[in-house]
Amino acid sequence: MRFETMAETAILDPAELRQLKKVLVIQLGPFGDGLLTTSYFETLKKVLPQVELHYLIKAPYHHSVKRHPFIDRLIVIPQGSGLQYLRNRIDVIRAIRHENYDLVIDQQNKPSSRYITWLSRARWRLGYTGRHLIPAYNLMTPKGPKIYTASRRFDILKPLGIEKTAYKLYFPIPDEDQARMDRWLSSQGLTADNTVVVSPGSRQSRKKWLTENYAQLADLIQQRLDKRIVILWAGSERPDADRMAALMETTPVIAPQTSLEEAAALLKRCCLLLCNDSGLNHIAVTTQTQTLAIFGNTSPARWSPASEFSHHHHLRAPVPGEVQGNDFQITPELAFSRVSELLGADEKSGFGRPPASQSA
């Protein structure tokens, strides 16, 4: 196999850009990163309208992008372990080589994606600069400043001469999932104006604000504001939902088990989402849901949409590096004050005031 000379942030000339017909983007997972990587897809297709855009991602993370309007083909690596895992990877590499891509963009930037890029036989193989054991790339560019991850994804397009533009994140919700959630909300007497969704769980324990704090915050909302609490959970998060409900003095509604599409439909039908630093926070970007996310030691600069989307907000520990436990130095009373401000609600009254536009 021939390796072209590596060029850091060399920009392809217009003639080479016009020859790009088929492009593969690699982001194997997880859910949040799978969605965030699509931030530049619309821009890429506008600048290079001749391009057929393919996306490689692992199951089950493909559910976050399977109806994306700017993906022409979704290539999914099935779940598997042991020998089946190896067979799946070999099959995918064979399929990729058969496609004869003009350009492969390795957004994952890990050994697992580098060897796929290396073996793709693509004319151009684009990745980030760094010390790599595998000579996977013949186009490289450095990562820029640590900003919201969806925005930072644009850095990899510099060799194509494409700069960051205003963008949207897309997660189309099928009509049947929206109708199903409408029926459930109606059965519970819930409306978009009176529903606050709380998601206390997380796949990473270090990102979870104390369940006790969520319970106290939810009680304050139901006791002092004219709102109702719906606890949203997924997969292994049901114990968190049950524990939060058990700790509350008031009675919440626990959402039924939902698909990702149904969860998005619920977010689309509430006035506020309260959550941890999680993929759900990014799904809420697609539904235009007002959101307050609770951050501990993770960086809002990288993971909070607030810098790009005015309907997103966050609270962070006053001294992040000194956070020892999961209270994040954020009290339920402090969070309630921010919730009340965002909802524009005077306590114990139906009258409102415009919410503040700045994130905490």
Side-chain angles (χ1 to χ4, degrees):
M1 180 179 292
R2 181 172 63 90
F3 298 102
E4 295 85 350
T5 302
M6 293 187 181
E8 293 190 11
T9 322
I11 298 177
L12 297 183
D13 65 41
E16 290 168 327
L17 290 173
R18 286 193 297 271
Q19 291 175 10
L20 298 178
K21 304 299 182 183
K22 190 182 289 189
V23 174
L24 175 68
V25 177
I26 301 175
Q27 175 69 54
L28 302 180
F31 283 107
D33 286 332
L35 175 65
L36 294 173
T37 292
T38 67
S39 61
Y40 60 73
F41 285 12
E42 183 173 7
T43 300
L44 179 64
K45 295 276 280 188
K46 285 181 178 178
V47 175
L48 302 173
Q50 79 279 7
V51 160
E52 183 179 323
L53 183 59
H54 295 189
Y55 194 26
L56 176 65
I57 191 168
K58 294 192 300 186
Y61 308 126
H62 69 290
H63 288 285
S64 63
V65 295
K66 63 182 182 181
R67 284 175 298 276
H68 195 282
F70 296 99
I71 297 175
D72 295 301
R73 183 184 173 197
L74 195 60
I75 303 174
V76 181
I77 301 178
Q79 290 177 289
S81 58
L83 288 176
Q84 187 58 53
Y85 170 89
L86 292 175
R87 291 192 191 100
N88 291 341
R89 290 302 174 102
I90 291 170
D91 288 344
V92 164
I93 291 170
R94 284 173 176 166
I96 289 172
R97 289 166 70 92
H98 181 72
E99 289 288 341
N100 295 315
Y101 288 107
D102 301 300
L103 169 67
V104 171
I105 301 174
D106 179 10
Q107 191 70 68
Q108 185 83 29
N109 193 39
K110 290 185 177 180
S112 57
S113 56
R114 286 183 206 124
Y115 77 74
I116 295 175
T117 305
W118 179 40
L119 296 172
S120 68
R121 294 199 300 195
R123 171 68 180 88
W124 297 107
R125 303 180 303 279
L126 171 58
Y128 291 113
T129 56
R131 300 181 66 180
H132 310 310
L133 295 176
I134 302 173
Y137 314 131
N138 54 17
L139 282 176
M140 292 196 296
T141 186
K143 290 184 178 180
K146 292 182 179 180
I147 58 175
Y148 179 47
T149 302
S151 302
R152 199 183 191 198
R153 292 293 199 263
F154 278 83
D155 291 343
I156 208 165
L157 300 183
K158 290 176 183 176
L160 307 182
I162 299 175
E163 299 292 334
K164 177 185 170 295
T165 61
Y167 63 89
K168 293 172 62 178
L169 295 180
Y170 293 90
F171 184 74
I173 309 170
D175 291 343
E176 57 268 27
D177 293 304
Q178 300 203 53
R180 195 176 299 114
M181 194 49 59
D182 281 334
R183 290 192 294 270
W184 180 79
L185 288 166
S186 178
S187 72
Q188 302 297 318
L190 298 167
T191 66
D193 291 335
N194 74 359
T195 301
V196 173
V197 172
V198 180
S199 176
S202 173
R203 294 173 64 241
Q204 300 184 51
S205 59
R206 67 188 179 91
K207 293 185 177 183
K208 289 168 61 173
W209 196 40
L210 288 177
T211 307
E212 296 94 315
N213 286 0
Y214 273 118
Q216 292 177 43
L217 173 58
D219 278 330
L220 289 171
I221 292 170
Q222 293 201 134
Q223 290 164 348
R224 300 186 188 180
L225 305 177
D226 188 21
K227 306 297 178 186
R228 294 182 64 187
I229 296 295
V230 172
I231 304 176
L232 181 61
W233 57 279
S236 61
E237 297 172 2
R238 181 59 194 253
D240 293 312
D242 290 337
R243 184 164 181 266
M244 176 181 162
L247 289 169
M248 289 178 62
E249 296 177 359
T250 59
T251 303
V253 177
I254 298 181
Q257 185 172 9
T258 58
S259 65
L260 193 58
E261 291 80 3
E262 289 167 338
L266 175 58
L267 297 187
K268 193 175 180 180
R269 290 157 172 77
C270 74
C271 60
L272 180 67
L273 166 67
L274 299 169
C275 64
N276 300 303
D277 171 20
S278 66
L280 197 64
N281 196 28
H282 308 299
I283 289 289
V285 174
T286 72
T287 59
Q288 312 247 335
T289 303
Q290 184 164 233
T291 304
L292 180 63
I294 312 295
F295 280 76
N297 276 321
T298 52
S299 170
R302 292 183 60 193
W303 298 108
S304 172
S307 62
E308 291 285 348
F309 301 96
S310 61
H311 56 286
H312 278 264
H313 313 268
H314 60 260
L315 285 174
R316 191 188 191 189
V319 189
E322 297 181 6
V323 171
Q324 299 298 321
N326 283 66
D327 66 353
F328 299 161
Q329 302 171 3
I330 298 171
T331 65
E333 291 77 13
L334 175 62
F336 174 74
S337 176
R338 191 71 176 113
V339 167
S340 183
E341 180 184 6
L342 292 175
L343 292 177
D346 294 315
E347 294 183 28
K348 299 181 180 178
S349 123
F351 299 96
R353 60 179 184 274
S357 61
Q358 299 299 315
S359 63

